[in-house]
Amino acid sequence: MNDTQQKQLGSTLWAIADKLRGAMNADDFRDYMLSFLFLRYLSDNYEEAVKKELGRDYQSSELEIKNNEKNFSAYIDELKAVIIKYSSDLSPQKLGLKEDEKDEEKINKARQDFVDKNNKMLYSDNVIPLAVWYIRNLDQVDTLEKQMRRKIHYVIKPAYLWSNIYELARTQNDQLLKTLQDGFKYIENESFESRFRGLFSEVNLDSDKLGKNYSDRNDLLCLVITEIANGLSEFPNETDLLGDAYEYLIGQFAAGSGKKAGEFYTPQQVSTILSRIVSLDGQDPSTGKKSKLRNVLDFACGSGSLLINVRKQFGAKDTVRIYGQEKNITTYNLARMNMLLHGLKDTEFQIYHGDSLLNDWNILNEMNPAKKCSLKQWWPIRPSATDGSPKKKWPRIFDSKTMDLRQRRRQISLFYCMDSTF
């Protein structure tokens, strides 16, 4: 995607946000908009990978759907019957119960839960190919998901994929809101091996800001998701598409937030300059960029754009791991999404929710110099008293009592520029 297309995409999405948020505060609507873009990215990436993995089986599912278009209602009923039949043959252990469970009531409830869970894939009026494959191959689902975790490090159930969510929105299905809630919870707790707990904690789909009741909220979400999908459909489906869109929207929302913007977003121009400084050889900057960067740490990472820019300076293969800490819960979640949106695997970064001024993060308290970036590298000479009294303690870098938030962040940025790589 070229620069012109990036700007056009950003402008399109911003216009959608401006149009649909109504009387809602821009910061509140930001959380919904960016979360939906994140879901779209994860879904597209997953569907593309699983399509390659299944090969002809995926194509067969597409063909099956096409061949049943004329009598679609009967086709959905047949798929539901397959789920019921499969559940009736499952042992108590396969249903998540004890192997020797004899309580028929418990067993029947577990079977019904299994049926209800899989029927979520059939809520929309246009079933997606992966849902068909799941239903036709229920005994192979675990194997497929293990394989996808090995290859792309995460799994998303067909019911929670953007393609299915969009179909629910497009047809004004009253199950959209409930499916989104279940989907966000699944992504937080089950999609990745390293759980992203609280990733959508700031996205309250039951908020009165979306509507006075369930129906009103569901209607608004249908409209928002449909508009986003239609806006994105005008642009090429490239891997960096949504990462660029996400960054652009963070910047736009930040611009409308006034003074608070600096807490979660560093303008790209400033971010680029800082990332280039960090990439220079610390021993002799005149020699240019370091040959390799093993790790990079940002003490107050905001939405993570600075860390991503540092990574871009070296390329994905040359940066082993990214570390960041952020105190604000909303911004912390934005940073985690931002990392994944820019193609980082969950094993390639670690963003911690905590206060750097209080050393909340254990890695900052690690005493083994081989395992962390020691503060001694910034204070190489230990202060000592000249009057024979005991040696003084290492000086506090940040004094939370005498420095306001802006001063502390500026101090943190200074140390980041000096040597935040280790």
Side-chain angles (χ1 to χ4, degrees), residues 273-321:
I273 292 172
L274 288 174
S275 63
R276 288 176 179 173
I277 292 173
V278 169
S279 70
L280 293 175
D281 190 314
Q283 299 299 317
D284 186 3
S286 65
T287 62
K289 194 166 67 173
K290 297 176 182 178
S291 59
K292 187 177 181 180
L293 185 64
R294 188 160 58 91
N295 296 295
V296 60
L297 166 67
D298 188 343
F299 295 100
C301 67
S303 57
S305 61
L306 189 52
L307 287 168
I308 290 170
N309 270 340
V310 171
R311 182 182 173 88
K312 287 179 179 178
Q313 294 295 322
F314 290 88
K317 293 182 179 179
D318 292 331
T319 304
V320 176
R321 195 168 178 84

Side-chain angles (χ1 to χ4, degrees), residues 244-256:
D244 292 334
Y246 191 88
E247 286 275 357
Y248 179 88
L249 285 176
I250 288 178
Q252 289 298 101
F253 280 115

Side-chain angles (χ1 to χ4, degrees), residues 323 325 350 352-355 358-368 371-373:
Y323 296 86
Q325 183 165 232
Q350 190 173 354
Y352 186 81
H353 179 222
D355 190 340
L358 300 177
N359 278 5
D360 281 343
W361 197 4
N362 288 337
I363 195 173
L364 299 179
N365 292 314
E366 174 60 57
M367 298 307 295
N368 184 346
K371 294 183 179 180
K372 79 158 200 173
C373 177

Side-chain angles (χ1 to χ4, degrees), residues 149 152-155 186-199 321 332 336 340 344-351:
R149 288 189 191 281
I152 63 171
H153 290 238
Y154 70 94
V155 166
Y186 177 83
I187 291 172
E188 285 182 335
N189 298 317
E190 299 183 52
S191 279
F192 298 85
E193 288 189 3
S194 50
R195 293 186 175 185
F196 282 79
R197 289 176 178 167
L199 189 63
R321 195 168 178 84
Y332 160 68
R336 293 193 290 173
L340 293 168
L344 277 77
K345 294 183 175 64
D346 61 322
T347 55
E348 294 178 328
F349 70 91
Q350 190 173 354
I351 307 296

Side-chain angles (χ1 to χ4, degrees), residues 199-254:
L199 189 63
F200 301 102
S201 62
E202 299 299 293
V203 183
N204 182 6
L205 296 174
D206 285 326
S207 172
D208 288 342
K209 295 173 183 178
L210 291 174
K212 294 181 179 180
N213 52 51
Y214 180 97
S215 180
D216 290 345
R217 292 192 286 272
N218 194 78
D219 288 346
L220 178 58
L221 289 171
C222 285
L223 179 60
V224 171
I225 289 171
T226 302
E227 288 282 350
I228 292 174
N230 291 340
L232 290 173
S233 67
E234 300 174 8
F235 298 89
N237 188 21
E238 298 177 0
T239 54
D240 62 347
L241 172 70
L242 293 182
D244 292 334
Y246 191 88
E247 286 275 357
Y248 179 88
L249 285 176
I250 288 178
Q252 289 298 101
F253 280 115

